[in-house]
Amino acid sequence: MLHNVLARGLAAFLVILAVMAMPGIVEAEDLVGTDVESRVIIGLSADAGAVKTMLPSGWTPIAFPSGPLKGANFLMSFIDGNVALDAEGNPLSPSSRRAVSMISLAKQEDGDDVRLYLTGVYAAADEDDPYGLKTAAEIARSHVLSGPAGGGRQSADIWTVAPETGGELALSLEFTTGKRSWGFSESKVYSAGNPDFLAVYRWDSVTDVVMSMAMEKPVNGSFSLINTVPELTPIFDGNEKVVAILD
């Protein structure tokens, strides 16, 4: 089935395509939009059983095997969209947005396929829902960047996410910026709610690795992530570990 959708926003500068997905093959791509965004990605090592309940039947979570996210089996991406354009380059209405997406790497239990699955999204009630996973939420962000023109700057970033299901997710991150890296990447992200749906994200991004256990790099500042959202309680059971923070 060909999905023509507006799958908006999972990176700093995105070109997003919907694809025709068949078992083992991709037959076509259809450009659906371009985004310019900032985001904070939190990599967690959470209870595998809790993560598995968010995945489709026949798939089991695995940790990222390498890179700064090594060891994480559950990602939370706090997304602040500056501008979203359609396939023709026209601004959407509204053209700015905020969202929090949850992603896990998973392996097929009866095969060798490995996929990235979007397992949930918090976004405004009127946002598009191409993955069929959205929970409406109010999302607020305060971000202050200060310091000299050259060298490290002080970043203070506060997010509050209040889903309609109740509770709150609160992120607070203060750190001194480091040496950022520029790169191009591509991800194929499947929907945990509809495993036949696939979107391709191609982006250019500037990344600051704020913290990474794999790189033995601690936070140069302070960080907290507090959850009282009921459906996320199995993930935040008190035994979860933050293994990486990317800005």
Side-chain angles (χ1 to χ4, degrees):
M1 179 180 294
L2 181 63
H3 298 263
N4 292 303
V5 296
L6 295 174
R8 289 194 277 142
L10 286 175
F13 178 79
L14 284 169
V15 175
I16 310 156
L17 307 103
V19 302
M20 180 185 295
M22 305 287 284
I25 61 173
V26 173
E27 292 193 356
E29 291 184 348
D30 188 26
L31 176 66
V32 296
T34 303
D35 292 59
V36 178
E37 303 181 331
S38 65
R39 57 178 176 160
V40 178
I41 300 175
I42 310 300
L44 296 173
S45 175
D47 179 76
V51 178
K52 184 176 173 59
T53 63
M54 305 176 74
L55 294 168
S57 176
W59 293 84
T60 190
I62 59 175
F64 284 83
S66 60
L69 291 169
K70 181 180 180 180
N73 63 2
F74 187 79
L75 305 185
M76 302 195 79
S77 185
F78 292 75
I79 303 163
D80 199 354
N82 298 303
V83 62
L85 309 176
D86 63 19
E88 288 73 41
N90 301 310
L92 298 175
S93 182
S95 61
S96 60
R97 67 190 288 263
R98 290 195 182 107
V100 178
S101 65
M102 289 156 278
I103 297 175
S104 287
L105 189 64
K107 182 183 182 300
Q108 192 177 28
E109 293 175 356
D110 296 328
D112 297 323
D113 196 9
V114 174
R115 293 180 177 180
L116 274 177
Y117 272 108
L118 186 75
T119 59
V121 177
Y122 293 116
D126 59 352
E127 284 288 335
D128 297 310
D129 188 21
Y131 286 94
L133 295 168
K134 185 185 72 177
T135 298
E138 295 290 334
I139 303 177
R141 183 194 192 191
S142 171
H143 184 213
V144 178
L145 194 64
S146 61
R153 299 177 183 179
Q154 302 303 309
S155 176
D157 208 352
I158 298 174
W159 294 72
T160 56
V161 183
E164 64 178 9
T165 51
E168 183 178 89
L169 187 65
L171 166 67
S172 176
L173 174 62
E174 296 186 11
F175 69 100
T176 303
T177 62
K179 184 177 180 181
R180 298 177 175 92
S181 62
W182 173 269
F184 172 82
S185 188
E186 175 178 308
S187 291
K188 297 178 180 179
V189 183
Y190 290 80
S191 168
N194 177 13
D196 290 330
F197 176 79
L198 164 65
V200 178
Y201 298 84
R202 297 187 179 124
W203 68 80
D204 292 296
S205 60
V206 177
T207 304
D208 194 338
V209 179
V210 179
M211 175 266 185
S212 172
M213 290 183 64
M215 297 172 62
E216 299 183 347
K217 181 178 182 179
V219 178
N220 184 4
S222 63
F223 168 78
S224 67
L225 182 60
I226 301 172
N227 172 68
T228 58
V229 178
E231 63 265 28
L232 294 179
T233 299
I235 299 294
F236 293 89
D237 64 353
N239 295 310
E240 78 282 355
K241 294 181 180 178
V242 177
V243 299
I245 305 170
L246 308 181
D247 181 65

